[in-house]
Amino acid sequence: MNDGDPYLDQRRDTVYCWFNPESGDTLYRTDGAETDLFFHSVGEAERFLKQEAAQYTGKDYTRMCLYEIQVQRVEYAANVLMDQSEIDDFQ
């Protein structure tokens, strides 16, 4: 719910993710403690897929599909927390 905040509806991004619709598997990268499912460009996603396929030659990546996802902010966590705890001014 945007509660009249005009900036919530204006911030949109596109991200990409590798997904196998048959198995429900996703391809994600891990870097230390971080795991990232999304890529910021098609080229970045393609490079990652090629690196994974070269590194893990026993895996079959041919059924993976690259999906474009339109990300739109819906609400701020602070608003949810205020509503949940009925606090007027969450800080």
Side-chain angles (χ1 to χ4, degrees), residues 32-48:
E34 286 190 36
T35 299
D36 196 358
L37 174 68
F38 302 111
F39 300 90
H40 296 287
S41 70
V42 171
E44 180 185 359
E46 289 175 344
R47 282 188 297 279
F48 181 75

Side-chain angles (χ1 to χ4, degrees), residues 27-85:
L27 184 59
Y28 55 89
R29 58 188 160 192
T30 57
D31 185 21
E34 286 190 36
T35 299
D36 196 358
L37 174 68
F38 302 111
F39 300 90
H40 296 287
S41 70
V42 171
E44 180 185 359
E46 289 175 344
R47 282 188 297 279
F48 181 75
L49 178 68
K50 289 176 185 177
Q51 290 170 354
E52 286 292 296
Q55 185 175 358
Y56 301 106
T57 56
K59 289 187 178 181
D60 181 14
Y61 294 101
T62 59
R63 298 193 187 279
M64 299 301 287
C65 300
L66 186 62
Y67 284 83
E68 178 180 273
I69 302 166
Q70 297 295 319
V71 179
Q72 179 180 352
R73 186 177 5 195
V74 177
E75 63 186 334
Y76 294 104
N79 292 343
V80 173
L81 295 171
M82 283 189 306
D83 290 345
Q84 179 182 7
S85 60

Side-chain angles (χ1 to χ4, degrees), residues 3-40:
D3 294 331
D5 186 343
Y7 296 106
L8 283 175
D9 291 329
Q10 293 175 3
R11 179 75 173 131
R12 295 173 191 238
D13 290 305
T14 301
V15 293
Y16 302 89
C17 107
W18 288 106
F19 177 71
N20 180 334
E22 295 174 16
S23 67
D25 293 337
T26 56
L27 184 59
Y28 55 89
R29 58 188 160 192
T30 57
D31 185 21
E34 286 190 36
T35 299
D36 196 358
L37 174 68
F38 302 111
F39 300 90
H40 296 287

